[in-house]
Amino acid sequence: MIQIGLNDEKFIRGAVPMTKSEVRAITLSKLQLGKQNSVVDIGAGTGSITVECALNVSGGVVYAIDKNEQAIELIKQNIAHFKLKNVQVVKGLAPLAIPELDSVDRVVIGGSGGQLAAIFKWLSHKLPLGGIVVANCITLENTVKIIENLKLYNYKNIEVVQASIARGKALADLTMMLANNPVYIISGER
Amino acid sequence: MIQIGLNDEKFIRGAVPMTKSEVRAITLSKLQLGKQNSVVDIGAGTGSITVECALNVSGGVVYAIDKNEQAIELIKQNIAHFKLKNVQVVKGLAPLAIPELDSVDRVVIGGSGGQLAAIFKWLSHKLPLGGIVVANCITLENTVKIIENLKLYNYKNIEVVQASIARGKALADLTMMLANNPVYIISGER
Amino acid sequence: MIQIGLNDEKFIRGAVPMTKSEVRAITLSKLQLGKQNSVVDIGAGTGSITVECALNVSGGVVYAIDKNEQAIELIKQNIAHFKLKNVQVVKGLAPLAIPELDSVDRVVIGGSGGQLAAIFKWLSHKLPLGGIVVANCITLENTVKIIENLKLYNYKNIEVVQASIARGKALADLTMMLANNPVYIISGER
Amino acid sequence: MIQIGLNDEKFIRGAVPMTKSEVRAITLSKLQLGKQNSVVDIGAGTGSITVECALNVSGGVVYAIDKNEQAIELIKQNIAHFKLKNVQVVKGLAPLAIPELDSVDRVVIGGSGGQLAAIFKWLSHKLPLGGIVVANCITLENTVKIIENLKLYNYKNIEVVQASIARGKALADLTMMLANNPVYIISGER
């Protein structure tokens, strides 16, 4: 069984934009997952990060939250496709929609729906010491807001990484490089 | 136990340049490792990719090859540090130095020592169908040579990815972005 | 009158891809134009580089070469739009199509039509000492071929620059960064 | 005489970091300089942008402002080196240190010394309609602050560009790509 690094082609995809495999790989590595971790994936989108997390936390649970109905359907399809038993899908806006949890020690922010301040306030109550949050961000303003919140709540090991990935496309005998949009990957430890 | 995505700080480092965690994460994801895979890591350097592979192929072996004495010492230190039992270290120039292997189905090329043509010829004999090779490359000429060799030997699913990673550095209250050198990550399947 | 740095919006654009203003600005700076220089623009495309060169070499001539009929029409429209008197447009494949020139001391290669070797051979006869060639390239293989040719013919001050430009797009109150494809800008002096 | 696109080697350089030629070329192009424009260069550093502006505004003046004594010395050396007659150098912190000006229609912000809000307030009084401001920024927070200020004061044609430039370095026969740190180039028109 393959444990890490699923190809983009392995997922069922819809109209919802999907985190590309390279950014997913970096995001997963920042999460520092162990088998017993439980994860909340906020703005789970297609569920590609949810799936990779669930494959790696066989002793934990992944909560996939998204406000978008299309996304919820796609996440459910991907969960079925990968035969995952340890995912709970919740439709709604985080942090309000996040169910009462026994414990969560890893949080992914793939989309915040304008609720960054409320999400970090929720995290301040729910994420224990040693817990890790990793955000993927495509706007400058939210990248800065996330950094500010990580500092405000005294997170440790704050990392800001910009990943600019270009991908070769065969053009006759030649390889033309096509750029993906840059993604900011911001992480910190409680 | 953490399975994937080790921080750079987790490794013992020397004067030998180390693949940074983001490029390592992408490289690992392209390798599509399963527990039973065996890996040859050519130009293993500090051994950071060797270590992450070994942690993921608990049922397989990783062969770490490097021509540089300093690198060999560092790899051995990292193997001891991570208490790995499934790594064999070989000093010498690939492909000549690669020991006679029962089987190998994943190959990493971190450095080629000018032997790209010979390495791909060796691969044509030793890498079975479904085997995957992933190269990390910092020069334009070797990137092109690797693409040419993957085409010459009819590899499938050839991917060329350029990863340009910038990392935030705190500057008083501000976050200055510092660039890592771009790395080409080229992969293909037999 | 504005001398340098025309916006993309200033040009008449068609289906032919146009060098974006940032890459054009870098390309122009590598050309080190003086008022008396004459320029050959091979693979002139929309003519955006031709136009900026012509505005800067008031005492020289710009020869815009392209094999594509659509491109030729667009170049002519842009020449008329900017009321330029010092441009000659030639339809055909370089170097064969390049007219017999009194002198040329700056050459732009925006597209080579597979004729890189022939173009550099032509340059070896026609470009005087101190002449400068600047190529824009989107494929890895042609970037390497251009570097090889610059070395083969003993050019000085060979420079290889990769420009990865991302551009902000307003998304409500936020700024999302959208990437342009990376362009290699390779230059050398005879 | 060369008008645009000076090489980095043409400047006298000191310990003060210098805007590299590619970013300078993009910055100049965003400034849309005409011969009669007058420019204020805030945080002029080595004076490389001051020099290129002064060469292009033969009918205007460039005011180079910097708070750093070393920078002021370097700017003066570069002005002498390029024999410029249309530059005034002012030591001090902008906007306070900016002399009372007859007119200014182009402003470069190379460094803000923590005075972004005050600088934009000053601009709101001094920069006429049609005037252009271009900022070079290496931190995420100041990039966002500049965008906010451009919106606050209703600038038109706001552009945010991130330039990630890598430069080839010959390594025996090979070309290794070395990255410059990414620079944000933000511009707007009153």
Side-chain angles (χ1 to χ4, degrees):
Chain A
M1 194 199 66
I2 289 162
Q3 286 276 79
I4 54 162
L6 296 170
N7 283 344
D8 292 343
E9 290 71 32
K10 298 245 168 78
F11 295 96
I12 300 165
R13 299 172 68 168
V16 178
M18 187 172 84
T19 307
K20 298 298 182 301
S21 74
E22 294 82 9
V23 170
R24 206 163 53 237
I26 297 172
T27 301
L28 264 279
S29 85
K30 300 295 178 198
L31 276 173
Q32 303 274 300
L33 291 178
K35 284 197 200 312
Q36 303 304 322
N37 286 138
S38 283
V39 183
V40 175
D41 184 1
I42 296 173
T46 55
S48 65
I49 288 181
T50 285
V51 165
E52 294 228 42
C53 286
L55 289 171
N56 280 284
V57 297
S58 48
V61 182
V62 182
Y63 302 87
I65 322 284
D66 207 289
K67 60 178 179 172
N68 181 319
E69 182 58 39
Q70 269 188 303
I72 293 293
E73 279 315 303
L74 213 46
I75 297 167
K76 286 181 178 168
Q77 289 176 34
N78 273 310
I79 292 169
H81 180 62
F82 284 94
K83 303 184 170 59
L84 298 169
K85 304 292 185 199
N86 58 343
V87 182
Q88 290 193 23
V89 183
V90 182
K91 182 171 180 298
L93 191 63
L96 266 182
I98 304 174
E100 199 57 40
L101 305 171
D102 291 339
S103 85
V104 56
D105 33 29
R106 297 292 184 267
V107 174
V108 180
I109 305 175
S112 62
Q115 304 295 309
L116 277 175
I119 290 169
F120 272 93
K121 186 154 195 194
W122 176 84
L123 284 169
S124 74
H125 295 298
K126 298 296 184 186
L127 192 64
L129 279 185
I132 292 174
V133 56
V134 182
N136 287 352
C137 201
I138 55 170
T139 71
L140 295 171
E141 289 83 358
N142 280 347
T143 299
V144 166
K145 261 185 210 154
I146 290 165
I147 298 169
E148 284 170 356
N149 273 286
L150 290 170
K151 289 178 179 173
L152 178 67
Y153 289 104
N154 291 310
Y155 281 74
K156 292 181 297 180
N157 302 326
I158 299 175
E159 274 194 292
V160 183
V161 166
Q162 184 189 30
S164 298
I165 305 292
R167 186 179 298 281
K169 181 187 162 77
L171 199 74
D173 287 350
L174 306 174
T175 309
M176 181 184 166
M177 299 307 290
L178 303 180
N180 289 356
N181 295 332
V183 178
Y184 294 88
I185 301 154
I186 310 112
S187 54
E189 184 186 334
R190 281 291 276 173
Chain B
M1 193 200 66
I2 288 162
Q3 286 275 80
I4 53 162
L6 296 170
N7 283 345
D8 292 343
E9 290 71 31
K10 299 246 168 76
F11 296 96
I12 300 165
R13 298 171 69 168
V16 178
M18 187 172 83
T19 307
K20 298 298 181 302
S21 74
E22 293 83 9
V23 169
R24 205 162 56 236
I26 297 173
T27 301
L28 265 279
S29 86
K30 300 295 177 198
L31 276 173
Q32 303 275 299
L33 290 178
K35 283 197 200 312
Q36 302 304 323
N37 286 138
S38 282
V39 183
V40 175
D41 185 1
I42 297 173
T46 54
S48 66
I49 288 181
T50 285
V51 166
E52 295 228 42
C53 287
L55 289 170
N56 280 284
V57 298
S58 49
V61 183
V62 182
Y63 301 86
I65 322 286
D66 207 290
K67 61 178 179 171
N68 181 319
E69 183 57 38
Q70 269 189 301
I72 293 294
E73 279 315 304
L74 214 45
I75 298 167
K76 286 182 178 168
Q77 289 176 36
N78 273 310
I79 291 168
H81 180 62
F82 285 93
K83 302 184 171 59
L84 299 168
K85 303 293 185 199
N86 58 344
V87 182
Q88 291 193 23
V89 184
V90 183
K91 182 173 180 298
L93 191 64
L96 265 182
I98 304 174
E100 198 56 39
L101 305 171
D102 291 339
S103 86
V104 55
D105 34 29
R106 297 291 184 268
V107 174
V108 180
I109 305 175
S112 62
Q115 303 295 309
L116 276 176
I119 289 169
F120 272 93
K121 186 155 195 192
W122 176 84
L123 284 169
S124 74
H125 295 298
K126 297 296 184 186
L127 192 63
L129 279 185
I132 291 174
V133 56
V134 183
N136 287 351
C137 200
I138 55 170
T139 72
L140 295 171
E141 289 82 358
N142 280 347
T143 300
V144 167
K145 259 185 211 156
I146 290 165
I147 297 170
E148 284 170 357
N149 273 286
L150 289 171
K151 288 178 179 173
L152 178 68
Y153 288 105
N154 292 311
Y155 281 74
K156 292 181 299 180
N157 303 327
I158 299 174
E159 274 195 291
V160 184
V161 166
Q162 185 189 30
S164 298
I165 305 293
R167 187 179 298 281
K169 181 186 162 78
L171 198 73
D173 287 350
L174 306 175
T175 309
M176 181 184 166
M177 299 307 291
L178 302 180
N180 287 357
N181 294 332
V183 178
Y184 294 88
I185 301 155
I186 310 112
S187 54
E189 184 186 333
R190 280 292 275 174
Chain C
M1 194 199 66
I2 288 162
Q3 287 275 79
I4 54 162
L6 296 170
N7 282 344
D8 292 344
E9 290 70 31
K10 297 245 169 77
F11 295 96
I12 300 165
R13 298 173 68 169
V16 178
M18 187 172 84
T19 308
K20 298 297 182 302
S21 74
E22 293 82 10
V23 169
R24 205 163 54 238
I26 297 173
T27 301
L28 264 279
S29 87
K30 300 296 178 197
L31 277 174
Q32 304 272 299
L33 290 178
K35 283 197 200 311
Q36 302 304 323
N37 286 139
S38 283
V39 183
V40 175
D41 184 1
I42 296 173
T46 53
S48 65
I49 288 181
T50 285
V51 165
E52 294 229 42
C53 286
L55 289 170
N56 281 283
V57 297
S58 49
V61 181
V62 182
Y63 302 86
I65 322 285
D66 207 289
K67 60 178 178 171
N68 181 319
E69 182 58 37
Q70 269 189 303
I72 293 293
E73 279 314 304
L74 214 45
I75 298 167
K76 286 181 178 170
Q77 289 175 35
N78 273 310
I79 291 169
H81 181 61
F82 285 93
K83 301 186 171 58
L84 299 169
K85 303 293 185 197
N86 58 344
V87 181
Q88 290 192 22
V89 184
V90 182
K91 182 172 182 295
L93 192 63
L96 265 183
I98 304 174
E100 197 58 38
L101 305 171
D102 291 339
S103 85
V104 55
D105 33 30
R106 298 293 185 266
V107 174
V108 180
I109 304 176
S112 61
Q115 304 294 310
L116 276 175
I119 290 169
F120 272 93
K121 187 155 194 192
W122 176 84
L123 284 169
S124 74
H125 294 299
K126 298 296 184 185
L127 192 63
L129 279 185
I132 292 173
V133 55
V134 182
N136 287 351
C137 200
I138 55 171
T139 72
L140 295 170
E141 290 83 358
N142 279 347
T143 300
V144 166
K145 260 185 210 155
I146 290 164
I147 298 170
E148 284 170 356
N149 273 286
L150 289 171
K151 288 177 177 171
L152 178 67
Y153 290 105
N154 292 310
Y155 281 73
K156 294 182 296 181
N157 303 325
I158 299 175
E159 274 195 291
V160 183
V161 166
Q162 185 189 31
S164 298
I165 304 292
R167 186 180 297 281
K169 182 187 160 76
L171 201 72
D173 286 351
L174 307 173
T175 309
M176 180 184 167
M177 298 307 291
L178 303 180
N180 288 356
N181 294 332
V183 178
Y184 294 89
I185 301 155
I186 311 112
S187 53
E189 183 185 334
R190 281 290 277 173
Chain D
M1 194 199 67
I2 289 162
Q3 286 275 78
I4 54 162
L6 296 170
N7 282 344
D8 291 344
E9 290 72 30
K10 298 245 167 78
F11 295 96
I12 299 165
R13 299 173 67 169
V16 178
M18 186 172 84
T19 308
K20 298 297 182 300
S21 75
E22 293 84 8
V23 170
R24 205 163 55 236
I26 297 173
T27 301
L28 265 278
S29 86
K30 301 294 179 200
L31 276 173
Q32 304 273 300
L33 290 178
K35 283 197 201 312
Q36 302 304 322
N37 286 140
S38 282
V39 183
V40 174
D41 185 1
I42 297 173
T46 54
S48 66
I49 288 181
T50 286
V51 165
E52 295 229 42
C53 287
L55 289 170
N56 280 283
V57 297
S58 49
V61 181
V62 182
Y63 302 85
I65 322 286
D66 208 288
K67 60 178 179 172
N68 181 319
E69 182 59 36
Q70 268 189 303
I72 293 293
E73 278 315 303
L74 214 45
I75 298 167
K76 286 182 178 169
Q77 288 175 36
N78 272 310
I79 292 169
H81 180 61
F82 284 94
K83 302 184 170 59
L84 298 169
K85 302 295 185 196
N86 58 342
V87 182
Q88 290 193 21
V89 184
V90 182
K91 181 171 182 298
L93 191 63
L96 266 184
I98 305 175
E100 198 57 40
L101 304 172
D102 290 338
S103 86
V104 55
D105 33 29
R106 298 291 184 269
V107 173
V108 180
I109 305 174
S112 62
Q115 303 295 309
L116 276 176
I119 289 169
F120 272 93
K121 186 154 195 193
W122 176 85
L123 284 168
S124 74
H125 295 299
K126 297 296 185 186
L127 192 63
L129 279 185
I132 292 174
V133 56
V134 183
N136 287 351
C137 200
I138 55 171
T139 72
L140 296 170
E141 290 82 0
N142 280 347
T143 300
V144 166
K145 261 187 210 153
I146 290 165
I147 297 170
E148 285 170 355
N149 273 286
L150 290 171
K151 288 178 178 170
L152 177 67
Y153 289 105
N154 292 309
Y155 281 74
K156 293 181 297 180
N157 303 325
I158 299 175
E159 275 195 290
V160 183
V161 166
Q162 184 189 31
S164 298
I165 304 292
R167 187 179 297 281
K169 182 188 160 78
L171 200 73
D173 287 350
L174 306 174
T175 310
M176 181 185 167
M177 298 308 291
L178 303 180
N180 289 357
N181 294 332
V183 178
Y184 294 90
I185 301 154
I186 310 112
S187 53
E189 184 186 332
R190 282 289 277 174

